[in-house]
Amino acid sequence: MSQKLFSWIVFTIIFFICVSPVAVMVIEAIGKEDILIQLLHSKESLDSFFNSLILSVFVSFMTTLIGTLVGLILGKTNISLKKAILFLMLIPLLLPPYILALGWVDMLGVVGFFSELLFGFLGVSLVLFTLYLPIPVLFVLFYLKHINPHLEEAAYIYCDKKYVLSRVTIPLILPSIILSFLLVFILSFGEYSVANVLRYSVFPLESFVQFSAFYNFDGAIMMAMPMLLIALFVLFIEQFYLEKRIFKYKSFDYIHIFKLENNQKIYIVAIMIFCAFFMVVVPFWGLFSKIGSVDIFLIAFVKCLDSLLHSLLFASVSATILTFFAFIAAYIVYSKVFLVSKLIDMSLIFLFIVPSTVLGIALILFWNRPWIDFVYTSVLIVFFGYFAKYLFLGSKLIQHRFTQMPYSMVEAAMIFGADWKKILKYIFLPASYKVLGVVFIVFYIFILRENTITMLVYPPGYETLPVYIVTQMANGKEEIIAALCIIMTLSALIPFLLAMMLFRKKERA
Amino acid sequence: MISIEDVYFNHLDESKEILKGLNLQIKSAQRVVIIGASGSGKTTILRLIAGFIAPTKGLIKFDEVIIAKDAKSYLPPYKRGISMVFQDLALWPHMNVEENVAFGLKMKNIPKNQINEDVKRYLSMVDLQNYNYKRIENLSGGEQQRVALARALIVKPKIVLMDEPLSSLDEDLNKQLRRKIVSLQKKLGFSLLYVTHNKEEAKEIGERIIVMKDGVIREKVENVRL
Ligand SMILES: Nc1ncnc2c1ncn2[C@@H]1O[C@H](COP(=O)(O)OP(=O)(O)O)[C@@H](O)[C@H]1O
Ligand SMILES: [Mg+2]
């Protein structure tokens, strides 16, 4: 089989399973504009739309601003405890978002001044800020690693470090700053589980309610359209503005470090640890103090055992299959096969940025029809959801690994007559073992924490732990819910920590 | 005059000594070439003089003033009156030719019209008239090389450090630019410390040639041809 044919088959699979449901949803929406107009005439929908808009602009602005600063401090200065600070900040992103919100509720209670602040714009902003802060930090750290240190030294000949930073370092990482702003914007626009806990009306929550409480399919479809438009807008900016401005990544022997005075270092570390503690550790303190005794923990464990097993099984099986597909997709995109590579790349980005509620509703509409409803009635639809949502992440990581390999390796193999399959098997695969491990863990954790798509599409009897916790929120006991959140946290953190230890050992070897 | 006295250097957490008791004087308006195999410590000498690193032991003086001594640097690069042309040129990709060249003057708060005049003069000095608004990535290797020269010289440095600046060019272009560098040095009168591993290049540029090996100076040659 030629590489071209193979690539088109892969694209067809991705398109059929994931993109066409969204396309079909758009087609179904045509001609029903009056429903949207009607919905937007209702005060709640309109309010929720503006709430969401203001919230996501605010959150993405704040995370990008502070995240860039934190990224520069972690990546460019000689402070100590960098790894610990980064790890602490990373924890929220590894968990279902509502856990932090529940932790804050347990911490502050449901009455009183602080509680009033929590239930509303400020509380939701704080939680989303904590949740998405690692995104700009990781982006900035990644790009800083790939700046040629000579570019900064060349400026240091003419000006002091402040100007080196503002005239050279920051402009060089600007595309990554814009990219993380857009990503946080789209993620916070689509996220509703935090707002749900903190009883703040946001747009995706409205559309979710239309769908699952009122069974108003048309209404839900129409409310998906504005979110889809925003996703398309972000995709457009990414493809036509940022793509060209992102300088080619290259690695260098060293990074130019801005040395700080000792007392400056102490202040900065103290402030960062204090903030990270406040944002991350305090809500967990709330959860723990709610639980109180080990018995409750055990009761919760027994209650959630089924869903926990579902979660672990789904996550490990899906992550394995996704890793395989991500490798294939990365290879096709990397190979730049005419048209189809671009199509796959764009499809994956698009699916990644489409809000999860939209994706979930689209999948149900598409797969719940005669002949193919075996998907809808089985766990396949859950898998398709994960496939659509996360394939992009893994594929990008693997592509990055590929671009760091000298292309002459491929050419040398071609001289000996290796075709694309052999090159894939003997050159790219062995060079990617480590990144495939990383990608597996990334998939595993993101699938484990997923609750939006799963909530919409899971067939009866197959609920996952994050979904089980949400169903408990309606009428379960607070202390049990808190214990469930801790179990959820452990099941995400333990594999993460194990993987980190494993990879570190390998690096040393 | 620069003088380097008994300088030792090794990188943090590396036991390997890169410079082992180096002594070197460079008189003002003199052209000195350092030649030596790759890894012999040539770039390290330039980075010490520029102030990106400080000697682990020993001292560096500019005109009898100590500017670095025993792991301490007393003067940051931008206060040393030096310029540098990097081996990979290090032109800023987010700025055009004019912005690259004007950067040093802008940082000194020189009035705008003065900057424009100087940029024009120095670009024509390196035969790049009307290249002001071109993007770096659209220039050829030789053109980028000359932008780097103009950027280094426009601030009227007392000392210019060049780290194998012509090593990526083909032979014709290399010869052409060597002459350019020598003529510019004679015209502007800065001290030049020039690193290369090409003997011919060394002979044509250097008034003094210094041969490095394993972190020490093997021989000093007064270049008789000049
Ligand atoms: N950042 C660094 N950390 C550790 N060793 C380094 C670093 N930079 C250079 N070296 C080592 O220092 C030695 C001298 O380097 P350098 O001065 O660049 O040599 P040259 O320019 O003559 O090729 C080399 O052996 C090199 O491997
Ligand atoms: Mg060198």
Side-chain angles (χ1 to χ4, degrees), chain A residues 164-351:
Chain A
V164 176
L165 206 61
S166 67
R167 298 301 172 100
V168 175
T169 314
I170 293 177
L172 284 174
I173 59 166
L174 193 61
S176 77
I177 297 174
I178 297 174
L179 205 58
S180 55
F181 177 88
L182 291 174
L183 187 56
V184 174
F185 176 80
I186 201 89
L187 286 173
S188 41
F189 198 92
E191 162 49 48
Y192 72 80
S193 71
V194 171
N196 188 27
V197 171
L198 299 178
R199 296 183 213 135
Y200 187 66
S201 162
V202 292
F203 197 63
L205 187 59
E206 283 289 304
S207 95
F208 183 81
V209 168
Q210 289 293 337
F211 188 82
S212 59
F214 301 144
Y215 297 103
N216 178 0
F217 291 87
D218 284 344
I221 293 175
M222 291 320 297
M223 293 186 80
M225 291 303 126
M227 292 193 266
L228 205 56
L229 270 181
I230 290 176
L232 280 172
F233 174 69
V234 170
L235 179 70
F236 183 82
I237 296 181
E238 200 277 335
Q239 288 286 309
F240 295 99
Y241 170 77
L242 287 172
E243 182 98 297
K244 289 179 215 110
R245 276 166 187 76
I246 292 172
F247 302 109
K248 250 188 131 64
Y249 331 115
K250 240 162 96 183
S251 291
F252 297 90
D253 303 346
Y254 63 102
I255 295 176
H256 186 75
I257 293 286
F258 296 93
K259 294 209 174 79
L260 298 175
E261 306 292 330
N262 275 335
N263 57 342
Q264 284 174 319
K265 280 198 282 191
I266 291 169
Y267 278 128
I268 289 178
V269 172
I271 291 173
M272 294 221 293
I273 292 203
F274 175 80
C275 291
F277 243 79
F278 175 75
M279 283 164 23
V280 181
V281 179
V282 171
F284 278 100
W285 179 255
L287 291 173
F288 273 113
S289 61
K290 202 79 195 180
I291 299 171
S293 74
V294 181
D295 289 352
I296 293 187
F297 201 75
L298 288 175
I299 296 171
F301 187 73
V302 172
K303 278 185 96 162
C304 76
L305 197 56
D306 271 356
S307 57
L308 178 62
L309 288 177
H310 291 152
S311 269
L312 298 180
L313 191 69
F314 282 1
S316 40
V317 173
S318 308
T320 310
I321 303 173
L322 274 172
T323 306
F324 173 75
F325 265 94
F327 179 68
I328 301 284
Y331 181 61
I332 297 173
V333 174
Y334 172 83
S335 307
K336 297 211 166 70
V337 184
F338 175 68
L339 194 60
V340 64
S341 293
K342 193 79 195 155
L343 285 174
I344 291 182
D345 193 34
M346 278 176 64
S347 306
L348 295 187
I349 299 176
F350 174 69
L351 292 166

Side-chain angles (χ1 to χ4, degrees), chain B:
Chain B
M1 185 173 106
I2 307 172
S3 81
I4 296 177
E5 296 175 15
D6 221 13
V7 159
Y8 288 77
F9 181 81
N10 56 286
H11 283 281
L12 275 181
D13 13 281
E14 305 256 338
S15 54
K16 188 186 148 200
E17 279 197 322
I18 292 163
L19 299 179
K20 304 166 194 164
L22 186 85
N23 283 289
L24 177 63
Q25 269 80 38
I26 300 160
K27 295 196 194 89
S28 62
Q30 191 182 34
R31 294 189 306 276
V32 177
V33 171
I34 302 180
I35 188 167
S38 146
S40 57
K42 307 183 297 291
T43 299
T44 306
I45 298 178
L46 298 193
R47 293 171 58 78
L48 276 168
I49 295 173
F52 300 135
I53 48 180
T56 319
K57 228 179 84 193
L59 58 90
I60 300 176
K61 290 194 291 197
F62 278 22
D63 298 327
E64 295 309 311
V65 180
I66 295 178
I67 56 167
K69 187 185 172 188
D70 297 345
K72 277 223 158 58
S73 172
Y74 299 107
L75 215 55
Y78 61 98
K79 289 184 180 162
R80 291 188 174 196
I82 51 127
S83 258
M84 182 156 175
V85 178
F86 291 79
Q87 186 166 7
D88 58 6
L89 303 185
L91 296 171
W92 298 300
H94 59 293
M95 303 181 193
N96 62 24
V97 169
E98 178 178 297
E99 288 164 334
N100 264 280
V101 174
F103 186 85
L105 297 181
K106 235 187 242 162
M107 290 297 115
K108 286 187 177 160
N109 292 321
I110 296 199
K112 190 119 186 87
N113 50 353
Q114 176 73 46
I115 293 182
N116 289 341
E117 221 169 82
D118 279 5
V119 168
K120 211 169 156 194
R121 202 148 53 86
Y122 277 82
L123 279 182
S124 71
M125 231 184 259
V126 295
D127 310 313
L128 289 176
Q129 298 91 329
N130 305 323
Y131 273 63
N132 299 45
Y133 302 111
K134 294 212 175 183
R135 298 206 61 82
I136 299 300
E137 74 237 33
N138 299 335
L139 302 182
S140 71
E143 288 164 347
Q144 294 191 1
Q145 189 57 60
R146 283 176 282 154
V147 176
L149 267 179
R151 180 177 76 178
L153 300 182
I154 199 169
V155 291
K156 303 185 181 68
K158 280 185 283 183
I159 303 146
V160 180
L161 309 166
M162 296 193 186
D163 192 359
E164 310 195 31
L166 307 180
S167 58
S168 63
L169 302 180
D170 65 54
E171 199 163 322
D172 284 346
L173 211 50
N174 185 320
K175 279 187 181 150
Q176 200 185 317
L177 275 167
R178 278 179 219 167
R179 282 177 205 139
K180 185 99 216 166
I181 289 172
V182 172
S183 79
L184 283 171
Q185 188 272 339
K186 283 182 177 157
K187 184 171 162 191
L188 301 171
F190 49 84
S191 317
L192 175 64
L193 185 55
Y194 188 101
V195 164
T196 180
H197 57 252
N198 176 337
K199 281 193 185 125
E200 234 186 280
E201 217 176 293
K203 276 186 200 153
E204 188 157 338
I205 290 179
E207 292 168 287
R208 271 170 73 208
I209 298 172
I210 282 160
V211 183
M212 285 280 300
K213 199 175 174 202
D214 299 331
V216 287
I217 291 173
R218 263 323 237 341
E219 38 182 332
K220 296 183 188 176
V221 187
E222 300 301 321
N223 199 345
V224 286
R225 221 193 57 174
L226 287 154

Side-chain angles (χ1 to χ4, degrees), chain A residues 346-376:
Chain A
M346 278 176 64
S347 306
L348 295 187
I349 299 176
F350 174 69
L351 292 166
F352 178 67
I353 59 181
V354 168
S356 300
T357 34
V358 178
L359 201 58
I361 292 170
L363 284 173
I364 293 176
L365 284 169
F366 184 78
W367 291 104
N368 183 15
R369 57 184 76 213
W371 296 104
I372 50 172
D373 60 357
F374 66 93
V375 172
Y376 174 68

